[in-house]
Every structure is written in C-alpha cells, then in structure tokens.
Amino acid sequence: MAMSFFEHNGNKHYYELLGSGKPLLLLHGLCADNMTWLPVKRALAERYRLVIPDNRLSGKSVFAALPESVDDLADDAKALLDSLKLSKVVVVGHSMGGYVAQAFALRYPDSVSALV
C-alpha cells in the first residue's frame, strides 16, 4: 500500500493507493477519514485499484483553507486523480462522501465511469 501526499490550493492532502485493476475513488463521510474503508478495502483491492484520500479537515491531511462546499472537496478529488494521471474512475461515496461523489460526477462527468 502506497501512502502519499499531494498539494492542491495550498492544502496538503493525504491519500492511499492499494490494489490493481479498474480504479475506484473512495470518498469518506463527515467526521471520518480514510479508515472508514478499512473493513472493505482489502477485499476491494483484490479486484480494483483503490484511491483513498483524506478530505480536508480529516485524517492526515493538512489544510490551509477550509472547504466552503462539497464542490471544493470534489475539486480536491479531481486534482488528486489528475496528479495520478487517472482519467476515468468509479466514484464511491459514503455518507457525506456521497454528496461529494455526486458533486464530482456533476462537475467532471467525463472522469466518471460509474457512481456508487
């Protein structure tokens, strides 16, 4: 499992990469971090390439600017995918991550192969 950071709009975002195959972007809920996916990530990684970020204000991410909306978090996710050179992913959201996933799909429809 690769654990890394990327910078976007003055924020330092933590993310993990795990597995191989079709890429899945896993977006966690409010008051959580990427550990939300701990119970399922090993099983998912057997079939998919997982991209698991911590949102601003959560986990190991370091923020300089607060998000003003789920659109900001969707933009952060797109910046992460761009930095990884991933053009089309399955976007999976849990709780508030579902709102972020929906915003991502609306803002970047060409980057979404499926929305869960």
Side-chain angles (χ1 to χ4, degrees):
M1 173 177 27
M3 296 176 273
S4 301
F5 289 89
F6 81 101
E7 293 198 26
H8 176 247
N9 286 343
N11 296 294
K12 187 175 178 183
H13 300 270
Y14 175 81
Y15 68 95
E16 296 180 5
L17 297 174
L18 182 67
S20 61
K22 188 174 193 172
L24 262 66
L25 173 64
L26 302 179
L27 301 172
H28 64 76
L30 187 65
C31 299
D33 60 15
N34 71 62
M35 294 298 289
T36 295
W37 303 104
L38 185 62
V40 297
K41 74 181 186 181
R42 294 279 179 214
L44 289 173
E46 291 176 9
R47 296 184 58 196
Y48 301 99
R49 177 72 167 154
L50 305 181
V51 180
I52 316 171
D54 279 343
N55 289 332
R56 291 187 215 182
L57 302 176
S58 66
K60 296 177 181 131
S61 287
V62 179
F63 65 94
L66 296 172
E68 294 180 15
S69 69
V70 294
D71 289 343
D72 291 336
L73 299 176
D75 293 345
D76 292 344
K78 176 66 167 129
L80 170 58
L81 296 180
D82 289 348
S83 76
L84 297 172
K85 298 184 181 5
L86 294 173
S87 59
K88 205 160 197 80
V89 299
V90 174
V91 183
V92 181
H94 171 260
S95 190
M96 183 201 69
Y99 291 105
V100 177
Q102 188 175 42
F104 184 94
L106 290 169
R107 293 171 76 76
Y108 307 106
D110 292 341
S111 297
V112 179
S113 60
L115 177 62
V116 181

